[in-house]
Amino acid sequence: MPPINILTDASVLFPNPVFEGREHVTILPAYWEPAPADGDEGPAKAADFPKSLNKHAAPIYQAPKVEEFKRAFQQLGAGAGVLAVIHSSELSPTYANAERAAKDLQGKVQVRVVDSGSVSLGLGMMVQAAAQAGDSLSLNDLDLYVRSLIARIYTQLCIPSLSYLERLGLVNHSQALVSEYLGMLPLFTLESGELVPTEKARNRRHLVDVLQEFLMEFDNLEHISLLQGAPSFENETRALRERLLEDHPATPVSEQIINAPLASLIGPHSLGVFALERAE
């Protein structure tokens, strides 16, 4: 059976950058507004973004257009078909554009589009699992398998730069201004793909406590991934890693630095944990 090609978007980060089936994964390039000057590819890393948008401007990651998805689906669609796994539809129109492209090509190219309900490392966990299973399942079965992972991925994010969420229309200007002025450390979970505020850490030590408590809710984890910000929460992630060795000694822990597309959505100075629960 020919392998299924897997398409995802530029917000993705992989817990393990080298994995079985990686050669069958395609990442659509990032598109930016305003568009980069000729010869420039746009911001290369999260450190290119300001911590706040209250006094500084920054480019925003744009959803690939329907035509971009159609071209990708047609290029990748020969053989067993294409599975597109996209970041949460609550964060951008990317999923909607992929769905529209798949409908336009119905009957011409075999395509399935999945709203991961996640982003970054959570999205990467799903893509990685799909790639590893893609040479032994049909497109329909792989689609069902990937959808079964959605309920097993849990996310908590500390997003101090609420002015980025204001730009997405997720908080109002007063909330963003006050939070950043006071140096608050608001925490969010991803629930059904939506960023839901949960609490505010009193300080950075308390932030580690909250992230640890979040992960302690789960007894049987297959993998834990830490999302590191730019600038980093170096001391906090070190402390969290030490606690994870005690709390989840048998669970692999990986760590990646936030990339430019995600930084443009939630701000570069963010910290997060992504947990994949083991199948029962």
Side-chain angles (χ1 to χ4, degrees), residues 196-210:
V196 177
T198 54
E199 61 182 299
K200 296 180 179 68
R202 295 187 298 273
N203 50 48
R204 291 192 169 207
R205 180 179 178 83
H206 183 226
L207 173 60
V208 178
D209 293 339
V210 173

Side-chain angles (χ1 to χ4, degrees), residues 124-190:
M125 288 176 178
M126 295 179 69
V127 171
Q128 196 167 308
Q132 291 167 340
D135 61 350
S136 59
L137 297 175
S138 68
L139 181 58
N140 284 338
D141 288 342
L142 187 62
D143 180 21
L144 292 173
Y145 169 64
V146 170
R147 291 179 191 277
S148 75
L149 296 173
I150 295 174
R152 292 167 45 200
I153 294 175
Y154 302 91
T155 304
Q156 189 168 53
L157 295 166
C158 174
I159 305 177
S161 305
L162 288 192
S163 53
Y164 282 86
L165 297 191
E166 178 193 355
R167 182 165 71 171
L168 292 181
L170 300 179
V171 301
N172 62 45
H173 179 66
S174 297
Q175 288 174 308
L177 192 65
V178 170
S179 178
E180 292 188 1
Y181 178 76
L182 296 178
M184 291 181 178
L185 297 170
L187 288 117
F188 299 78
T189 58
L190 271 173

Side-chain angles (χ1 to χ4, degrees), residues 76-105:
L76 299 172
V82 184
L83 181 71
V85 188
I86 307 300
H87 71 250
S88 170
S89 58
E90 298 290 334
L91 298 177
S92 84
T94 303
Y95 170 77
N97 290 353
E99 271 278 271
R100 171 67 185 279
K103 287 182 179 179
D104 288 350
L105 293 174

Side-chain angles (χ1 to χ4, degrees), residues 46-119:
D48 295 333
F49 290 83
K51 289 176 66 173
S52 171
L53 297 178
N54 283 325
K55 294 183 179 179
H56 303 278
I60 186 167
Y61 169 66
Q62 291 288 300
K65 295 183 178 2
V66 173
E67 291 303 318
E68 298 292 342
F69 275 112
K70 288 172 70 172
R71 278 195 289 271
F73 291 157
Q74 288 170 323
Q75 290 170 0
L76 299 172
V82 184
L83 181 71
V85 188
I86 307 300
H87 71 250
S88 170
S89 58
E90 298 290 334
L91 298 177
S92 84
T94 303
Y95 170 77
N97 290 353
E99 271 278 271
R100 171 67 185 279
K103 287 182 179 179
D104 288 350
L105 293 174
Q106 195 167 7
K108 300 176 182 178
V109 181
Q110 291 191 81
V111 180
R112 299 289 185 277
V113 182
V114 177
D115 178 355
S116 71
S118 191
V119 73

Side-chain angles (χ1 to χ4, degrees), residues 245-258:
L245 285 174
E246 298 178 3
D247 298 339
H248 302 275
T251 304
V253 178
S254 60
E255 182 177 334
Q256 299 292 343
I257 298 172
I258 189 171

